[in-house]
Amino acid sequence: MSDDVTFQLNGRFDEVVGLLGKLGDRMEAFEKRQSELETKVDARLHETRPIWEQVLSRLTSIEQRQERMEQRLESMDRRVRWVYDEFKDLKMRLRPTFSDVTKLLNDRMTSRNAS
């Protein structure tokens, strides 16, 4: 009977050792695939890095151009406000003159109609 138990334990032990061997093989295959994947990812990073560097360079250039355009727009805005203020001032100064001319024209029309 004790031989039977030893035989059964040896069989179980051999079975566990076999399963651990299979597990080890699967782990090696997994590690190999992981290593291959890391190699592919690194290669892709090296392939795309110049593209991203170029994109970043272009973005920097676009931002610089945008800043210059904003500065120009601010300058134009100041000039337009200055012209507007000048026209407004001119209108205020000419208002009495327009009023006088309108009055003269009305008087002249009235005197013509009366004749």
Side-chain angles (χ1 to χ4, degrees):
M1 185 159 154
S2 109
D3 287 332
D4 252 357
V5 172
T6 305
F7 181 73
Q8 286 177 352
L9 286 177
N10 281 338
R12 294 280 175 152
F13 182 73
D14 291 341
E15 187 180 326
V16 170
V17 168
L19 290 173
L20 286 175
K22 288 180 183 179
L23 184 60
D25 292 343
R26 290 184 77 184
M27 282 297 289
E28 283 180 27
F30 178 76
E31 288 173 353
K32 182 181 176 190
R33 288 177 61 197
Q34 181 184 3
S35 176
E36 290 170 356
L37 183 60
E38 287 173 348
T39 302
K40 285 181 183 179
V41 167
D42 285 341
R44 294 293 160 94
L45 284 175
H46 288 296
E47 291 171 7
T48 59
R49 184 169 287 128
I51 294 169
W52 284 112
E53 288 173 353
Q54 192 175 41
V55 167
L56 288 174
S57 173
R58 287 182 177 179
L59 280 175
T60 301
S61 173
I62 289 170
E63 287 173 343
Q64 290 170 349
R65 288 174 40 202
Q66 182 181 2
E67 284 179 22
R68 287 193 303 269
M69 288 180 69
E70 286 174 355
Q71 290 171 353
R72 288 180 183 168
L73 285 173
E74 287 173 5
S75 174
M76 288 175 62
D77 186 50
R78 284 192 299 273
R79 289 184 214 156
V80 167
R81 275 191 257 134
W82 179 83
V83 168
Y84 174 79
D85 290 342
E86 288 295 311
F87 273 122
K88 191 175 172 183
D89 184 53
L90 183 62
K91 181 181 172 185
M92 294 302 286
R93 286 189 282 153
L94 290 176
R95 184 172 282 174
T97 305
F98 287 139
S99 178
D100 291 344
V101 169
T102 303
K103 188 176 180 184
L104 282 173
L105 287 173
N106 285 336
D107 289 347
R108 191 166 188 199
M109 294 291 276
T110 305
S111 67
R112 267 195 180 165
N113 290 338
S115 318

